[in-house]
Each structure stands twice: as C-alpha cells, then as structure tokens.
Amino acid sequence: MTPTPRPVRRIVTSLLAAGGLVVGAVLTAAPTGSGAASLPTTYDAGHGHVHDDPTTKNALSRSGEAAAHPARTTPRQRAASRARVSAQRTQREPRLTGVPLRSPRRKVPESVYAMAGGCYRLGGQSLTFQATGLGTYLLHAPDRTFLAATGADGATWAADPSPLADWTAREVGKGRFTFTLADGRSLRRAGDGFGTGTPQAFALRRTSGCVAFPEVETNVRGRPFGGVTSYQEVRGWVDPHVHGQTHEFLGGRVICSPPFHPYGAPAALVDCPDHRVADGRGALLEDALAERAPGTGHDPVGWPTFSYWPNPHSLTHQQVYYKWLERSWRAGLRIHTSLLTENHVLCTVYPLKKNSCDDRDAVRLQARRMREMQDYVDAQHGGPGRGWYRIVTDPFEARRVINQGKLAVVMGMETSVPLGCNVQLGRPTCTEEQMLAELAEMRRLGVSQMELTNKFDNAFTGVAGDAGTTGTLTNSANFLSTGSFLRMQRCPATHPPGTEDRLQSPNLGDLPGGGQSTPEQDAIFGAIWKLYGDTGIQTGVQPAPVYPAGPHCNQLGLSPLGERLLSAMTDHRILVDPDHMSVAGRTAALDYLERQQAAGRPVGVVSSHSWSTPDAYPRIYRLGGFVAPYAGDSTGFVAKWRQHLGWTDRRYYFGFGFGSDMNGFGAQGDPRGAEAPAPVTYPFRGLGGVTVDRQRSGERVYDVNTDGVAHYGLYADWVEDAQHVAGADGAALGADLARGAEAYLQTWERAWGLAPDSCRNPGLRRPVRSFTRAAEPGIRARALMRRVGQPWQRLGREFTYCAKAPGKQRVLMTVRLSRGGKVQTVRRG
C-alpha cells in the first residue's frame, strides 16, 4: 500500500508548522536558571486527564457508548454460566514443577555461549562476561570498566561499552577461546596486560571477585514453573494484546527506547533526542499527551533514576523492556501476544522519523526485531533455544514451551491498512491475489493472530471510529487515507442498546438540547494530529459532514474481500480478532464464522482488548473463542471479569486474560493508593510459589500501591492487586486468570482443526469400542487429538475423555501416554 499523497503545498506547510512549533517551544522554554529544576520529576495525577473514566480504560467495551448496555442475557442464563465456571475451578489441577533458570554453570565453559553472565579468569583478570549477542561479550572488570581496543595494537580499560569492547568468542579447544572485534583485531597478551593483533587462545576458568553488570532487576525469587510433561494442561496468565516493538512504529521516533540493547539498560533506557533538548523541554508530544503547555517538559533521565518515566500515562516511553517482561514471566505470565503495528497517516504527519511509513514495511521490520530479541534473550541464558522468550507459531509448540517453564510469544498484527489493502473512493487498492500473497507472507513471518483494521476504513471492513475531538481528527485522517469521511448514520432501530459505533461530531445531537459530550479515546492520535496535522483537509478539500443525532453506526461493514480474507485466515489457522471493526463489519464477520463452524470448518476468534461491543462477547464464547478485556485499573478489571462470567458457553473450557495494550498508547492501571483498602503487601506469592518483591530498576523502586502499572513488570503486582480488589472472590479471579493460558491454547487448537472435548459436548461421544480403536497404542498425542478431539482433562501423562455405551451416555475413558507423548493404554474410568 502506498499512502495517499498530499499536495506538496500541504506537506511543506505541515512540516514548516511542525518545525516552528519545535523551535518556538525550545526558545520559549530555554532555561534561565538551574536547568530542569522546575520540570516534573514524578507522575502528576492532577494534570487534567480523567483516568478513571468508565467509558475508557475501565469500560466493558472501549467502544464508548456501548459500555452502559451489556448484551441481553437472562438472570437464569447468567447464574448457570457462573455455576459452570465455578464447577470447573473444582477440577483437579495439573501438577507443576520448578524449572531451572539456566543450565548449571561449569568450571570450564562448554561452548562460546556458556560463559554469558558468568565470572571467569582471563589473562589473570576476574571478568564478568556480559553477552551482547549470541557468542559476543563485553568483558566487565571489577572496577566497572570494559576491556577495549585502542590505537593500532593496544588495549585499555574503557569507562563505557562500545564496538571496540564488543568481543566475539571462538572456541579453539576445550575451554580455550579467542576474542575478536568486528574490525578483525583479536585480543592477545602484551606484557602484564592486553593488546590486540593476531588471535591468541585464552583458557577460561570460573572464578570469583567479579561485579554484576548494571541491569534492571526482576526481584522474583524461586524457579519458574513448568509442567511434568510437555503435553499436559498448562497454567499461567495470558496477555493477547501487547506492542513489544513499537519503538519502530510511526517512523521509529515516538517510543523513546528499545526493549533491549546489546549494552543493557544503561544504553537502552534513555530518553528521545528531542526530549533531551533544553533539558527536557523539547518533548512536545509528551507535553501534549499530559495536557501540559508545549515546552513544559519533564525530567528526561531514565536509567538509573527513572524519576519521571515510566509511569502509567507516559505513552512515549518504553514500558516493555525485556527485563520488565521477564519479571512478569517469572511471576506467572505464560502467553504474550506481541502485535506488529503501524498507522501510515500518523507516521506521515509526525515530522521525526527514520523508518518507512508503509504498513507492510513496518510489520516486516518489527517481526525482525522480535526475532532479534529472542536471540538476545537466548544469549543471556547460554545459547540458541535456551532463553525464556520463545516465538511460537502453533498451539502445540506453545504448549511445549509453557510446560518447559518458558514464555510463549505469539506474533500478532494490528494495522490500519493490513496487507496493503486500502480503499480509495470505495475501490480496493489491492486484488484478491495480492491480498492472498501478502497474507501468506505474514504467516511465513510468524503472524498467528490478526485484526482486520485499526483507526480507518479499509478494503476489508469499516471501523468503529473514535468520539469527541479525537473522533473529528481520526475522521479527517480517514479522509486522507481513503478519500472519504466515515459513513456514520443513525443505527437501525432493531439494534439492541449499546450495539453501536463511536458517536461522531459534529452531529445534530450536539445542538442545544440534544445528546451529551463524549470522552476522548485515543490520546496519541489527538496529540500528534493537533501538533503536526494538516487540518486544512477539513475545510479546504471537502466540508466535514454533519451527522444525524446518535447512536451512530458505520454503514461500511464487511466487504466481499473481507469475507475472503476471513476464509484465508481460517485456511492459515490465524486467529481472528474482531476488535476495532464497525458493528456492521464485526456482526457480518461473526455471522460468517458461525456459518463456517456450522459447516464443520475450524475457526478461532480472540477479542484482545475490549474494542468489541458487548453483544459480540457471548457470540465469541459460543464460537469457542477467547476474550481478554483491556486491563486498565484493577478495580475496573474486576467488574469486567464479573460481567464476563455470565456469558460463558457450556461446551468449552473457561479461562480469562487481560489485554494490556502496553506500548500501544493505552493508559495503564493507576495506583489505588497506599491507604486504599487491602493494599498489596510485599513480598507476595506469584504463580507456582515464587516470591515477588518490589521491583527495582537502577535507583528506582516500584510499588503498585503508589506507582500503578508503570511498566510491564508490574503486571505481576497488578494481578495480585486485582485479587485484593475482588475480596472474597479473589481466589476465583486468580484461578480464572491462571487458567487463561490453557483457555487461549484450546481456542487456538480448535482453529487448527481439533474438535472440542466430548465430555462438555455429548454429541461428540463415540461408542467405547470405537474410541478404543481410535486411541491405538503408539500414536502421538497430537494424532490422538486429531482423531478423538480435545481431552476433557490433561493431567500429567493421562488424557481423560467421555464415550458412551448402551444404557450409559457418559463413560469416562483414560488414555495413558508415555513420557514422550505416545499412547500406551486406554481404560474405562
């Protein structure tokens, strides 16, 4: 997709205006006294945002007006649903076991990867081997200097890491290694010290006397938990909506820090160059998001003080640094969907960029960064495949990874113009053949979960839109992207209350005596557009429409090409996320998926962050899908959980998740306050019995009671807080969140063609003899499930199913498997 070009005059005008804003802000904010003394150093909760607005982060649906109108179910139906979930919680739990963080460290390193993080004697010096990549190291001395090349053939102890201190290890014999720089110079002895030149082998032996490399701490004690077999039922939290690589989003200059850096936290967790202008006063976007006057600024220092950022509402700073993610994994997170994302209009408007604004280029780059992050985590843990961050592409691989005690990372996609398929004046900009080729490429990249739109109409579907002032701006951007404003009309009278899209302005309900104002939704869009956008399109090209009074529904629904995309996603076993679609589009999509399921075709649906209307959630559960509401505040999340308990489907396993939308410009959970009822007390127990203490990043110590969810590592604390908020229901909430990973995997398995379990689905029960023949000894667990469906329970080496016999409609069948996952025996009972 090529973004719609704007006339050259408008581009120049926008860039000049943006430049003027930057220069003007810097000049007017120039310090006259002691620099940054007057800048905010801690998060200010009184800057004008209504962070607890129930129509935003704590709403049942982030589609605004729908929040007050949950889907119509009877009290009897809701009571039956809650009773079913309660009964599921009483079933036997899978046995978990502690898993070592890494393999035991030997006295002599067994490979070029094994010395990562260890203390070894090299040339008479005790050195910490800090991995910068697979087989590459900084050699960190006890005085906190780094062994680096200097001059033509010298070596010195440098204060900071650099390419001249980044050594590649090569094994030349047992326990003997050479160390070479990228420019070809190698480390060698020189008198009593070191020099560089031709390679010289060094014998490495484990020793003591080293100092730790400066890095963010996890503050979690105890082994991560895994399963006793690779194929058993899993436990763990699931977050199906995170943006792990948005430091490359919007041209790569909006999110200030990467999620990892070869030289660790001191190099990664630094503020944006424009933020550091005039001692923090150049951060125009950060100021706009905080509703401060441009040039107010903030303390730009990240590592090691973190006095201002990260905080729950600073949307331009990295919040998913890999060590923060590691903390949540150590405490219980087991599925993490990292969404590749882009918005070509915002990218074009924002003046600072280094990357392409084409959605497809952005997705490819971010996918590559995910693979690089996996390699980096592997490097810290002893070599390829040994790290805890594992990108998975099917539910069977994910189950193995989780039962190994690691984090299953699902690659997802959320873009405004997926697969290059925009719409221009009602015509798609791609052919079906091009769309199918692009989708196949995405699947090869590893994409396993996908939304059909975000922010704008496209060739597949209409969008839900935004409300208030931001809605006016996104509507203008929709015109830039598609050549048309949103086609919002009054919803049909047949729609139940709450089945609607975002209320647009101006509309007849805005006139005296009509309607009510609507809250802001997408702060990042509004801030960028107000700072840099070419608002001339609203008056100079085509008058913005005046809409009828609400409720509003986008007339653009699911297109024939969108239906073809759903079919192709089903073929590729990609999970469909209907969030952000217009009501008409999502309704048609769910209609289509229901017809496919009725015809025997496997489908998989995940609503990942509350951008669907409440009428959709029971339908998603009936499809065997998975729902994870937007996390938001712990108080609001508990209310959402209670509502969802009344919508479950008796035919499927139930577990719950949360969609953080972190790094996706969604505000995070606010602190309840140290004086709030039942605060979190530290240390507390995470899943699997680990001990979780307050998180330390450099000199900063975080406490969820007073800091809220400032970064991703505090989701462990947020889960604990939500259980406190739930009071007597806290244990039930904890159980449902712990069962979330299993519920997500079962939804994904069904998308891969496995039938649901025969105990909850009596119509799928086979006669005992037929079941016994199908479960023949020697076949593997996956082949068994292809034949007889998902087990009712998977405990250790036993799968439990239901069959039938003359006079008995429910006969329990137990399949015993070998440790390697092959069927050994089948018995009744």
Side-chain angles (χ1 to χ4, degrees):
M1 182 276 305
T2 301
T4 307
R6 292 193 289 177
V8 173
R9 179 182 60 80
R10 286 202 184 112
I11 295 175
V12 173
T13 301
S14 292
L15 293 179
L16 286 175
L21 278 169
V22 173
V23 173
V26 170
L27 291 178
T28 58
T32 57
S34 56
S38 63
L39 300 181
T41 57
T42 58
Y43 170 61
D44 174 13
H47 54 52
H49 286 309
V50 186
H51 294 310
D52 59 350
D53 190 325
T55 57
T56 54
K57 66 179 177 180
N58 294 327
L60 186 66
S61 166
R62 292 169 81 187
S63 294
E65 297 78 14
H69 302 286
R72 295 172 178 174
T73 52
T74 67
R76 183 176 180 179
Q77 289 170 326
R78 292 193 292 273
S81 177
R82 288 192 291 268
R84 285 194 301 269
V85 174
S86 181
Q88 285 194 30
R89 298 187 198 114
T90 67
Q91 292 180 313
R92 287 175 57 199
E93 285 288 302
R95 188 159 66 89
L96 305 177
T97 185
V99 177
L101 284 169
R102 58 161 295 152
S103 56
R105 194 178 297 281
R106 301 177 184 176
K107 185 175 182 60
V108 175
E110 65 273 25
S111 73
V112 296
Y113 312 114
M115 60 275 276
C119 180
Y120 294 91
R121 195 90 175 158
L122 184 148
Q125 297 278 347
S126 294
L127 298 174
T128 300
F129 279 63
Q130 175 62 27
T132 61
L134 287 166
T136 58
Y137 297 95
L138 300 173
L139 305 180
H140 188 45
D143 64 357
R144 305 188 186 282
T145 59
F146 301 89
L147 185 55
T150 185
D153 57 3
T156 189
W157 297 98
D160 298 302
S162 74
L164 294 178
D166 198 343
W167 303 94
T168 298
R170 292 185 175 85
E171 189 171 16
V172 293
K174 185 176 181 180
R176 296 175 62 79
F177 302 87
T178 62
F179 299 90
T180 306
L181 297 172
D183 65 10
R185 285 181 289 174
S186 294
L187 192 66
R188 55 182 302 107
R189 293 181 183 275
D192 293 335
F194 297 99
T196 56
T198 56
Q200 181 177 346
F202 290 86
L204 294 187
R205 297 293 183 273
R206 190 156 52 89
T207 188
S208 60
C210 295
V211 297
F213 183 78
E215 189 51 274
V216 165
E217 300 174 25
T218 64
N219 306 105
V220 178
R221 299 190 303 275
R223 289 185 169 190
F225 65 86
V228 295
T229 65
S230 63
Y231 46 82
Q232 73 171 45
E233 188 171 320
V234 302
R235 284 293 176 266
W237 309 323
V238 53
D239 180 355
H241 199 107
V242 194
H243 296 275
Q245 306 298 324
T246 41
H247 66 295
E248 300 288 10
F249 170 60
L250 296 181
R253 296 294 190 197
V254 172
I255 295 286
C256 290
S257 310
F260 74 95
H261 190 285
Y263 304 156
L269 296 175
V270 297
D271 217 336
C272 293
D274 56 310
H275 288 204
R276 298 197 297 271
V277 170
D279 221 6
R281 291 178 170 84
L284 301 188
L285 182 57
E286 180 72 14
D287 285 342
L289 288 166
E291 296 184 358
R292 298 190 293 257
T296 301
H298 62 272
D299 183 346
V301 178
W303 177 273
T305 57
F306 297 108
S307 62
Y308 170 75
W309 63 273
N311 70 64
H313 302 282
S314 179
L315 305 186
T316 66
H317 293 101
Q318 178 63 246
Q319 292 178 288
V320 195
Y321 184 63
Y322 91 99
K323 292 295 288 187
W324 293 330
L325 174 59
E326 180 180 342
R327 172 181 163 87
S328 281
W329 157 68
R330 292 276 305 272
L333 184 74
R334 287 301 180 268
I335 296 179
H336 170 91
T337 299
S338 186
L339 295 160
L340 317 172
T341 190
E342 188 54 273
N343 182 299
H344 65 283
V345 175
L346 274 189
C347 180
T348 301
V349 167
Y350 194 65
L352 306 176
K353 60 179 67 71
K354 61 183 177 67
N355 299 332
S356 166
C357 290
D358 187 297
D359 293 50
R360 294 167 298 175
D361 291 339
V363 163
R364 295 181 188 111
L365 175 61
Q366 292 168 39
R368 187 163 72 247
R369 293 289 182 259
M370 283 182 67
R371 300 285 177 186
E372 291 168 358
M373 183 163 163
Q374 178 173 263
D375 288 345
Y376 182 75
V377 174
D378 280 354
Q380 308 310 311
H381 290 265
R386 297 197 176 190
W388 50 266
Y389 182 98
R390 310 308 314 157
I391 298 171
V392 297
T393 57
D394 66 60
F396 314 104
E397 180 185 20
R399 188 177 295 278
R400 287 195 301 273
V401 162
I402 294 169
N403 278 320
Q404 289 168 358
K406 301 183 179 185
L407 179 67
V409 180
V410 180
M411 191 180 290
M413 193 167 82
E414 179 189 36
T415 67
S416 296
V417 185
L419 313 177
C421 290
N422 204 355
V423 61
Q424 283 288 321
L425 299 175
R427 292 174 176 249
T429 61
C430 69
T431 65
E432 181 177 321
E433 291 73 20
Q434 290 169 332
M435 177 269 287
L436 293 174
E438 291 282 347
L439 184 67
E441 181 189 356
M442 293 302 101
R443 192 68 184 96
R444 290 193 297 272
L445 279 179
V447 171
S448 300
Q449 179 182 311
M450 179 176 154
E451 295 181 26
L452 272 66
T453 190
N454 179 27
K455 290 302 159 204
F456 308 141
D457 295 338
N458 59 36
F460 304 128
T461 182
V463 72
D466 292 279
T469 304
T470 297
T472 304
L473 300 174
T474 55
N475 200 358
S476 298
N478 192 80
F479 183 90
L480 263 184
S481 181
T482 69
S484 302
F485 289 106
L486 295 175
R487 295 164 52 190
M488 293 289 186
Q489 296 295 325
R490 189 171 179 84
C491 295
T494 54
H495 278 201
T499 308
E500 59 201 66
D501 294 318
R502 298 293 300 199
L503 186 66
Q504 295 298 299
S505 292
N507 69 78
L508 298 179
D510 291 333
L511 299 176
Q516 60 180 358
S517 62
T518 53
E520 300 294 333
Q521 182 62 222
D522 192 332
I524 190 73
F525 199 104
I528 288 179
W529 198 262
K530 289 172 186 175
L531 282 172
Y532 307 111
D534 182 358
T535 56
I537 66 166
Q538 296 179 49
T539 57
V541 176
Q542 174 181 325
V546 176
Y547 294 102
H552 288 163
C553 285
N554 191 341
Q555 301 303 292
L556 189 61
L558 186 71
S559 70
L561 189 62
E563 187 171 293
R564 183 67 187 93
L565 172 61
L566 290 176
S567 179
M569 289 173 67
T570 300
D571 290 340
H572 283 290
R573 306 179 180 101
I574 296 173
L575 294 167
V576 176
D577 188 341
D579 284 9
H580 288 293
M581 296 176 75
S582 65
V583 165
R586 182 168 48 252
T587 299
L590 294 177
D591 287 346
Y592 173 79
L593 293 171
E594 287 168 352
R595 292 195 301 271
Q596 298 304 300
Q597 187 182 67
R601 201 172 177 200
V603 300
V605 187
V606 172
S607 175
S608 64
H609 67 324
S610 296
W611 263 103
S612 290
T613 44
D615 61 291
Y617 299 134
R619 297 185 69 184
I620 292 170
Y621 285 124
R622 288 197 297 271
L623 282 163
F626 182 82
V627 181
Y630 183 43
D633 295 336
S634 55
T635 49
F637 183 80
V638 170
K640 286 179 271 194
W641 165 69
R642 287 181 169 135
Q643 182 69 52
H644 277 268
L645 289 180
W647 289 335
T648 68
D649 191 286
R650 61 180 175 76
R651 297 171 295 170
Y652 305 107
Y653 182 102
F654 179 78
F656 210 52
F658 55 87
S660 70
D661 205 6
M662 191 168 271
N663 275 10
F665 307 113
Q668 300 301 307
D670 282 309
R672 289 197 295 127
E675 304 305 318
V680 171
T681 56
Y682 292 91
F684 61 86
R685 291 284 183 185
L687 287 186
V690 297
T691 301
V692 183
D693 214 330
R694 289 176 178 85
Q695 197 281 317
R696 176 180 288 274
S697 297
E699 298 170 12
R700 177 72 187 274
V701 177
Y702 290 92
D703 184 322
V704 75
N705 298 301
T706 54
D707 295 306
V709 186
H711 59 66
Y712 202 81
L714 292 168
Y715 265 105
D717 314 56
W718 177 89
V719 169
E720 177 73 8
D721 191 47
Q723 292 178 79
H724 288 218
V725 168
D729 294 331
L733 171 60
D736 289 351
L737 287 172
R739 293 161 63 89
E742 178 64 31
Y744 183 98
L745 289 186
Q746 291 201 20
T747 289
W748 200 4
E749 285 177 341
R750 289 189 288 271
W752 275 71
L754 299 190
D757 77 83
S758 51
C759 293
R760 296 184 183 91
N761 294 266
L764 298 178
R765 293 173 191 167
R766 294 167 171 250
V768 169
R769 182 174 296 179
S770 171
F771 181 91
T772 303
R773 284 199 302 266
E776 63 179 299
I779 65 170
R780 294 192 172 274
R782 184 170 171 181
L784 171 69
M785 291 188 291
R786 280 200 300 266
R787 292 185 181 186
V788 297
Q790 294 175 310
W792 178 48
Q793 288 190 290
R794 317 177 199 208
L795 301 177
R797 293 168 58 181
E798 292 186 343
F799 284 1
T800 306
Y801 291 90
C802 289
K804 59 185 178 181
K808 295 191 71 174
Q809 289 302 305
R810 188 175 187 270
V811 179
L812 283 180
M813 303 295 295
T814 299
V815 180
R816 177 79 175 175
L817 297 104
S818 69
R819 184 161 295 280
K822 292 183 178 181
V823 173
Q824 290 182 320
T825 60
V826 182
R827 71 173 191 273
R828 293 176 65 153

